[in-house]
């Protein structure tokens, strides 16, 4: 008996494509064809090369996706974009999620040219949507798991705005919430006690510009890194304001922060609503704000998922494992 068509195994196909420039092809393939091996492993297709010619073998879906990835990456190298193995991984992830996506629109959108590194650019569709929202809206919420670039990209945008004199200063704030640890035993005054909570903001800042320049701007008050409590009673004009770890704000703190915004300013609020360290029964200001403000004109909410994680590839698997654990607990 002949099997129904839907039950038959899909037959492999082969497709040949050619590129023109031998130098660009070497950049596309990577040293020792490293980039091609990454694509083969991720997609499951087989890639054979001869000079600037490529043959792709595999199931039709895999072959089509591999062809799309290679053409999109070739488009990047023709624009002078230096491909790194991490870029190949991001490209695969983006095009797996949406085969219609254009890598040039994402990877070539330079957010900021850092002092010590290559240009900072978005690495996912959500990251691209995020920086576009920051450009277009005065208040933007970036909500999602750790490692998705929420704070880092906000910092890059802030540094860019300051460098281009679109704002006069940067204000970086974080709530000082005890995540299962006690601050009481730490030596020093209030500022010295909460300073460790601000360390991630300093780290990101020093990643954007030379240590000495960043410290000079901090000393002059052009860049301010402070606990959220220090924002009370102030009006922030001509400023780029970032509130990090906003899931640990109370309703009152979030309202206080949002009403600090003055003329010529914009605010980015970031947080992960799965990692709330507030006392039981306390409403997260971030959750409340996203529910009541997302329809307000001039405010944008961008949501990230584990697909947008740009840290070690194991971070995605760790997030998935904890999500599965939460689901089992709810059953």
């Amino acid at each position: 008996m002949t099997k129904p068509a839907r039950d038959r195994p899909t037959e492999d196909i082969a497709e040949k494509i050619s590129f023109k420039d031998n130098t660009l092809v070497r950049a596309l393939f990577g040293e020792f064809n490293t980039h091609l091996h990454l694509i083969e492993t991720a997609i499951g297709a087989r890639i054979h090369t001869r000079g600037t010619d490529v043959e792709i073998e595999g199931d039709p879906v895999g072959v089509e996706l591999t062809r799309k990835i290679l053409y999109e990456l070739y488009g990047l190298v023709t624009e002078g974009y230096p491909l790194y193995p991490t870029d190949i991984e991001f490209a695969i992830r983006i095009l797996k999620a949406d085969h219609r996506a254009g890598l040039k629109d994402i990877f070539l959108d330079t957010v900021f040219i850092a002092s010590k590194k290559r240009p900072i650019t978005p690495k996912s569709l959500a990251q691209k949507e995020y920086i576009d929202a920051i450009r277009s809206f005065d208040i933007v919420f970036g909500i999602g798991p750790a490692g998705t670039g929420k704070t880092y990209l906000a910092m890059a945008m802030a540094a860019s705005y300051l460098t281009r004199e679109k704002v006069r200063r940067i204000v970086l704030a974080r709530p000082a919430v005890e995540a299962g640890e006690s601050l009481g035993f730490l030596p020093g005054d209030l500022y010295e006690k909460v300073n460790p909570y601000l360390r991630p903001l300093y780290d990101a800042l020093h990643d954007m510009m030379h240590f000495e320049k960043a410290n000079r701007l901090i000393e002059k008050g052009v860049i301010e890194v402070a606990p959220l409590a220090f924002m009370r009673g102030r009006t922030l004009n001509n400023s780029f304001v970032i509130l990090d770890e906003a899931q640990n704000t109370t309703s009152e703190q979030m309202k206080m922060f949002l009403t600090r915004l003055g003329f010529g300013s914009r605010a980015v609020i970031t947080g992960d609503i799965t990692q709330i360290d507030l006392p039981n029964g306390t409403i997260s200001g971030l959750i409340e704000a996203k529910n009541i403000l997302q329809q307000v004109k001039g405010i944008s909410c961008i949501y990230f998922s584990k697909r947008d994680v740009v840290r070690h590839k194991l971070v995605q698997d760790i997030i998935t494992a904890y999500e599965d654990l939460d689901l089992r607990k709810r059953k």
Side-chain angles (χ1 to χ4, degrees), residues 280-301:
N280 290 335
T282 302
I283 297 173
S284 167
L286 177 59
I287 293 177
E288 182 181 67
K290 80 175 181 66
N291 290 336
I292 66 175
L293 298 178
Q294 57 185 342
Q295 301 302 323
V296 175
K297 189 175 181 179
I299 296 177
S300 177
C301 291

Side-chain angles (χ1 to χ4, degrees), residues 115-313:
S115 58
K116 298 172 284 186
K117 297 185 176 182
R118 55 188 173 132
I120 297 170
T121 63
K123 300 299 182 186
S124 72
L125 292 169
Q127 287 194 355
K128 170 63 174 169
E129 185 182 3
Y130 183 52
I131 62 170
D132 284 344
I134 293 174
R135 291 175 177 134
S136 303
F137 295 88
D138 288 338
I139 297 178
V140 175
F141 289 85
I143 300 171
T148 50
K150 304 182 301 295
T151 303
Y152 195 82
L153 285 175
M155 293 282 283
M157 290 294 288
S160 174
Y161 270 59
L162 182 66
T163 301
R164 291 183 289 146
E165 298 183 347
K166 296 181 73 172
V167 295
R168 293 180 184 172
R169 60 177 170 170
I170 298 173
V171 180
L172 312 170
R174 255 192 172 203
V177 175
E178 300 179 10
E181 303 170 22
S182 176
L183 288 173
F185 70 92
L186 293 174
D189 57 20
L190 173 63
Y191 192 88
E192 291 170 324
K193 286 178 184 291
V194 300
N195 199 46
Y197 284 84
L198 305 174
R199 192 74 257 165
L201 295 177
Y202 282 111
D203 291 342
L205 177 62
H206 290 141
D207 220 22
M208 304 292 163
M209 57 186 69
H210 288 296
F211 187 87
E212 294 78 10
K213 180 180 180 181
N215 283 351
R216 283 198 305 272
L217 292 175
I218 291 172
E219 289 173 2
K220 292 179 180 179
V222 176
I223 297 177
E224 179 181 354
V225 185
L228 176 59
F230 287 22
M231 298 295 105
R232 191 172 298 279
R234 302 173 60 184
T235 300
L236 302 172
N237 294 316
N238 299 307
S239 302
F240 196 116
V241 192
I242 299 173
L243 174 59
D244 191 34
E245 295 291 329
Q247 75 275 7
N248 288 327
T249 61
T250 63
S251 175
E252 293 79 9
Q253 287 175 323
M254 178 61 76
K255 181 180 177 182
M256 178 273 291
F257 173 81
L258 291 172
T259 54
R260 299 308 93 202
L261 208 62
F263 294 108
S265 293
R266 62 187 56 230
V268 180
I269 300 98
T270 69
D272 177 1
I273 57 177
T274 69
Q275 296 191 31
I276 298 173
D277 299 313
L278 294 168
N280 290 335
T282 302
I283 297 173
S284 167
L286 177 59
I287 293 177
E288 182 181 67
K290 80 175 181 66
N291 290 336
I292 66 175
L293 298 178
Q294 57 185 342
Q295 301 302 323
V296 175
K297 189 175 181 179
I299 296 177
S300 177
C301 291
I302 306 298
Y303 296 92
F304 296 84
S305 72
K306 60 190 176 187
R307 291 193 303 271
D308 303 303
V309 170
V310 292
R311 290 181 183 170
H312 193 288
K313 58 184 179 181

